Amino acid sequence: MNTTKATAALLLAATVISTIPTEANAGIRRHDRDDSLYLELGAESQFSSVARLQIGTSICSATLISPEWMITAAHCFDGTTNPFTLAFPDSGGFNIVDQVVIHPDWTPGQYTAGGDLALIHLSTPITNINPAQIYQGSNDLGALGYGVGFGRSGTGNSGEIPGTAGFKRAGTNMIDVLGSARGFDESILLMDFDNPLRESDSTYGSAIPTELEYQVAPGDSGGALFVEENGQFYLAGVTSFINSIDGNPDGDYGDMSAYTRLSDYNAWINSVIPAPSGLLVLSAGMLTATRRRRAL
């Protein structure tokens, strides 16, 4: 089957309040909190649906939403050349991805335009992990979000630290605004990385950080944003990119985590699962993977 994908250069959007978006890579923590707290939160059972995704030499994250399907970021597959994509769920071992469905609105490099979603089909169903339930409500904006992924670690002072990806971490942050607040697509959720020592690093919402304030980093792409409602955790977003207003999107204090808001894409997800039809579908033999400009 022949497929085509539009290509576009990554916008360094100087017109969008001098911001520079880049792919998101696991989580960066408060400098005054130990990494073990974020690792422990990531290991809790409500986040067992979040898995590591290996695409060639690159790491992304993905979330199980049915026994046979996971959701991740479309940009994880941009320009890929390696036919082998593997998912490493909490159930142990790995699972081969045999089909990828890219959202039709996704244009490579156009992170702020939305549509950064892909559904991936697993060759063997996963039956010993509960799939995440996708959020159907409208109260995610302003809620406490739980970010989960396998990206790099670091602190708000240091930014991301190379060589620290591959471990599941989770942290919290307030979901501050929609992407339209910065001239981005409205289907993007943004949260800034608040500094406990400097209020000026906060752009939106309260300047007081959460107990386990969290910022996405390389390797977190395609990872999960959960919200809790009535004691139940729901998947509300998929990690897309880092937004920086200082010109250096390295995950330090003041940077922002950007997620694709799933409540805006429920109809598309339901149209693909369980039977993809009339959409861009890539078989495993056609998948390609190269080293991304930044591996999330």
Side-chain angles (χ1 to χ4, degrees):
M1 175 181 180
N2 292 322
T3 61
T4 60
K5 295 173 68 176
T7 59
L10 173 64
L11 287 179
L12 302 184
T15 58
V16 188
I17 319 180
S18 298
T19 61
I20 299 179
T22 186
E23 307 105 277
N25 290 281
I28 299 172
R29 67 187 187 276
R30 287 176 53 158
H31 71 278
D32 57 350
R33 297 291 185 270
D34 193 82
D35 190 34
S36 63
L37 299 174
Y38 293 78
L39 291 167
E40 289 169 3
L41 182 59
E44 291 189 4
S45 60
Q46 65 267 28
F47 305 133
S48 60
S49 58
V50 182
R52 173 184 162 191
L53 192 64
Q54 187 77 38
I55 307 173
T57 58
S58 295
I59 292 176
C60 278
S61 302
T63 305
L64 189 72
I65 57 174
S66 84
E68 297 181 18
W69 289 89
M70 306 186 86
I71 194 165
T72 187
H75 76 253
C76 291
F77 297 96
D78 289 349
T80 55
T81 57
N82 191 315
F84 299 107
T85 302
L86 306 175
F88 295 84
D90 278 1
S91 57
F94 64 89
N95 201 317
I96 296 173
V97 174
D98 59 17
Q99 189 178 73
V100 177
V101 184
I102 304 294
H103 192 277
D105 289 347
W106 172 246
T107 299
Q110 302 291 341
Y111 297 96
T112 64
D116 190 9
L117 290 177
L119 291 167
I120 58 177
H121 184 262
L122 304 173
S123 61
T124 304
I126 295 175
T127 58
N128 59 348
I129 293 178
N130 291 326
Q133 296 186 47
I134 294 178
Y135 187 61
Q136 305 288 327
S138 58
N139 295 323
D140 46 357
L141 187 62
L144 178 67
Y146 293 77
V148 189
F150 285 78
R152 296 177 186 174
S153 185
T155 72
N157 288 335
S158 69
E160 64 184 64
I161 299 175
T164 56
F167 298 94
K168 185 191 289 188
R169 294 179 174 87
T172 57
N173 207 326
M174 301 306 297
I175 304 175
D176 291 317
V177 292
L178 297 178
S180 54
R182 300 195 69 75
F184 303 162
D185 190 270
E186 273 199 351
S187 64
I188 294 170
L189 296 169
L190 292 173
M191 53 191 72
D192 55 18
F193 192 18
D194 295 322
N195 187 340
L197 300 179
R198 188 168 59 239
E199 290 187 3
S200 61
D201 281 333
S202 178
T203 303
Y204 298 109
S206 172
I208 300 174
T210 64
E211 182 64 23
L212 292 179
E213 188 86 356
Y214 174 95
Q215 164 69 38
V216 297
D220 285 328
S221 282
L225 175 66
F226 287 92
V227 294
E228 185 180 8
E229 195 168 274
N230 298 321
Q232 172 70 46
F233 283 86
Y234 296 93
L235 182 64
V238 170
T239 308
S240 183
F241 63 92
I242 299 169
N243 179 227
S244 174
I245 60 173
D246 64 6
N248 184 21
D250 59 352
D252 63 353
Y253 287 126
D255 281 359
M256 299 180 191
S257 300
Y259 298 85
T260 303
R261 190 184 196 186
L262 290 185
S263 61
D264 291 336
Y265 294 94
N266 280 327
W268 173 73
I269 294 169
N270 291 335
S271 74
V272 176
I273 300 174
S277 176
L279 297 172
L280 175 61
V281 178
L282 306 178
S283 69
M286 298 165 61
L287 293 178
T288 57
T290 58
R291 191 75 176 167
R292 300 193 55 78
R293 188 177 64 83
R294 302 190 70 198
L296 301 185

